[in-house]
């Protein structure tokens, strides 16, 4: 082959390679776009409904499907302490002491058999809390409502569906977080839990948080915030403020039930979630094993 022929073959080869390289790059970009679109499609309507720009025309859309149960409802399934004997005369049974629990299953068992306050007489089932036991973020609500009392799962009613959307707005889903309440039994008629009930149940929550070791706690509403931070002023002043509970960063925000009644408060929750997303993002940069919120797809950055 003479020099010219070789050169022309080389040119052809180069063109072919460039063509394929272009194609590969295009396919690669196409793939990225598709992934991005899928992610964007899965983002909840809440992004648009709670974005400050749209707040004046906000109409909440609560999806109809039931959130997937994460843990099995705690119905008659002894996990340990099979030899448990109720103390005659109703005295304290040491095997039910929350302080003795060394893991969440053990604590759940102790919660299920708790009779420390009169709510144990009216509850259908205890609502311990559920989610990712390695979650970096724990949402703490107030008390189970009717749906929760029936199913044994926290936040599965209307407020729960809104909470799911709020969680989506920080780029996470319910499987990535942990959700529980200040008290584990439903107050009759959904009244606010009283001080005695909160005091009786508090050791269970304390132990739960100690075992979960979250990097961030989000309290939902006044009751949850005051229970963890008694010196806190009202939720109107406290929401969005980064405070500390036993050394764990804590941010209060509005309770989803309040948001269902006061949709004008949604932009404030949006701001709180943006702050939370930034905190989680920074944490995940420092420690990649931690919850990794998705990139910022908020309306204002598009
Ligand atoms: N409200 C709460 O505070 N917790 C629930 O689990 C449901 C509604």
């Amino acid at each position: 082959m003479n020099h010219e022929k070789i050169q022309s073959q080389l040119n052809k080869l180069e063109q072919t390679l460039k063509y394929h390289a272009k194609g590969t790059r295009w396919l690669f970009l196409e793939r990225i776009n598709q992934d991005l679109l899928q992610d964007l499609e899965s983002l909840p309507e809440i992004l648009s409904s709670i974005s400050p720009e749209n707040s004046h025309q906000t109409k909440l859309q609560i999806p109809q499907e039931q959130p997937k149960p994460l843990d099995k409802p705690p119905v008659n399934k002894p996990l340990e302490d099979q030899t448990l004997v109720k103390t005659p005369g109703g005295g304290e049974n040491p095997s039910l002491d929350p302080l003795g629990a060394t893991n969440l299953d053990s604590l759940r068992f102790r919660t299920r058999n708790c009779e420390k306050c009169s709510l144990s007489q009216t509850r259908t089932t205890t609502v311990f809390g559920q989610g990712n036991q390695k979650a970096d973020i724990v949402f703490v609500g107030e008390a189970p409502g009717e749906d929760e009392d029936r199913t044994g799962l926290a936040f599965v009613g209307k407020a729960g569906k809104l909470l799911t959307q709020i969680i989506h707005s920080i780029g996470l889903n319910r499987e990535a977080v942990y959700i529980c309440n200040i008290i584990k039994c439903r107050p009759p008629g959904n009244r606010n839990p009283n001080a005695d009930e909160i005091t009786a149940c508090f050791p269970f929550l304390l132990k739960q948080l100690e075992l979960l070791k979250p990097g961030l706690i989000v309290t939902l509403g006044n009751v949850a915030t005051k229970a963890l931070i008694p010196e806190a002023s009202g939720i109107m002043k406290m929401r969005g403020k980064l405070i500390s509970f036993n050394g764990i960063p804590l941010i209060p925000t509005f309770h989803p039930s309040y948001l269902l009644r006061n949709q004008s408060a949604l932009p404030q929750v949006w701001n709180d979630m943006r702050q939370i997303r930034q905190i989680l993002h920074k944490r995940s940069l420092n420690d990649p094993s931690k919850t990794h919120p998705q990139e910022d797809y908020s309306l204002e950055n598009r």
Side-chain angles (χ1 to χ4, degrees):
M1 226 186 280
N2 67 27
H3 179 73
E4 270 162 5
K5 260 198 175 161
I6 293 174
Q7 189 59 53
S8 125
Q9 294 286 16
L10 279 176
N11 286 346
K12 269 191 197 152
L13 188 62
E14 193 184 346
Q15 292 306 320
T16 315
L17 283 175
K18 270 190 187 159
Y19 177 79
H20 282 303
K22 244 191 194 167
T24 314
R25 188 164 164 263
W26 182 82
L27 280 175
F28 184 63
L29 287 174
E30 178 78 333
R31 183 62 214 268
I32 290 179
N33 276 342
Q34 271 170 14
D35 287 349
L36 197 65
L37 275 176
Q38 257 174 19
D39 283 342
L40 288 175
E41 266 167 29
S42 69
L43 274 183
E45 295 96 338
I46 195 83
L47 278 180
S48 55
S49 64
I50 69 176
S51 128
E53 303 97 289
N54 298 346
S55 56
H56 56 284
Q57 55 194 17
T58 295
K59 190 92 196 116
L60 262 188
Q61 303 205 339
I62 308 298
Q64 291 310 303
E65 84 277 8
Q66 288 288 326
K68 232 188 335 169
L70 300 168
D71 287 355
K72 289 181 192 99
V75 182
N76 299 331
K77 184 175 159 272
L79 297 162
E80 59 154 81
D81 303 276
Q82 309 261 2
T83 56
L84 178 81
V85 180
K86 294 252 175 203
T87 312
E92 287 290 314
N93 184 337
S95 62
L96 293 184
D97 182 356
L99 294 180
T102 51
N103 57 54
L104 286 166
D105 280 345
S106 162
L107 185 63
R108 181 194 292 277
F109 177 87
R110 290 158 201 254
T111 308
R112 193 187 312 153
N113 291 286
C114 173
E115 294 180 351
K116 281 180 188 287
C117 81
S118 60
L119 296 182
S120 60
Q121 308 302 310
T122 50
R123 72 181 175 219
T124 307
T125 183
T126 50
V127 180
F128 179 67
Q130 77 272 1
N132 188 332
Q133 302 196 352
K134 296 207 165 82
D136 202 22
I137 176 165
V138 174
F139 289 83
V140 183
E142 184 179 314
E146 191 181 355
D147 294 313
E148 292 76 20
D149 178 61
R150 187 171 36 81
T151 57
L153 294 167
F155 279 99
V156 289
K158 256 192 167 184
K161 285 174 185 155
L162 178 53
L163 178 61
T164 304
Q165 293 191 315
I166 291 171
I167 293 167
H168 286 173
S169 80
I170 49 173
L172 297 174
N173 54 31
R174 284 177 73 120
E175 283 81 359
V177 306
Y178 197 90
I179 304 172
C180 61
N181 284 303
I182 291 291
I183 65 167
K184 313 299 187 198
C185 300
R186 181 192 181 203
N190 292 354
R191 64 162 169 76
N192 281 355
N194 65 38
D196 287 351
E197 290 155 0
I198 294 177
T199 306
C201 216
F202 201 63
F204 289 95
L205 178 69
L206 263 188
K207 193 68 185 179
Q208 199 167 19
L209 292 173
E210 187 188 311
L211 292 166
L212 285 165
K213 297 190 190 62
L216 180 66
I217 298 171
V218 180
T219 48
L220 301 167
N222 218 13
V223 174
T225 306
K226 287 263 190 187
L228 285 176
I229 316 278
E231 65 277 17
S233 42
I235 189 70
M236 293 293 171
K237 283 210 177 129
M238 294 309 291
R239 62 141 280 277
K241 294 215 159 71
L242 183 58
I243 40 189
S244 159
F245 171 74
N246 289 351
I248 306 170
L250 180 151
I251 294 188
T253 193
F254 289 131
H255 193 286
S257 301
Y258 172 81
L259 291 173
L260 288 169
R261 298 189 304 271
N262 301 279
Q263 295 181 17
S264 60
L266 280 165
Q268 288 160 286
V269 173
W270 170 246
N271 278 335
D272 299 345
M273 293 308 124
R274 190 169 44 188
Q275 197 190 339
I276 287 168
R277 186 161 46 181
Q278 280 162 1
I279 293 172
L280 293 180
H281 192 64
K282 270 193 205 134
R283 281 178 60 76
S284 71
L285 290 181
N286 291 336
D287 181 353
S289 72
K290 297 290 176 205
T291 321
H292 199 307
Q294 293 164 4
E295 291 305 308
D296 193 351
Y297 292 139
S298 57
L299 292 176
E300 64 221 279
N301 289 332
R302 274 198 255 151

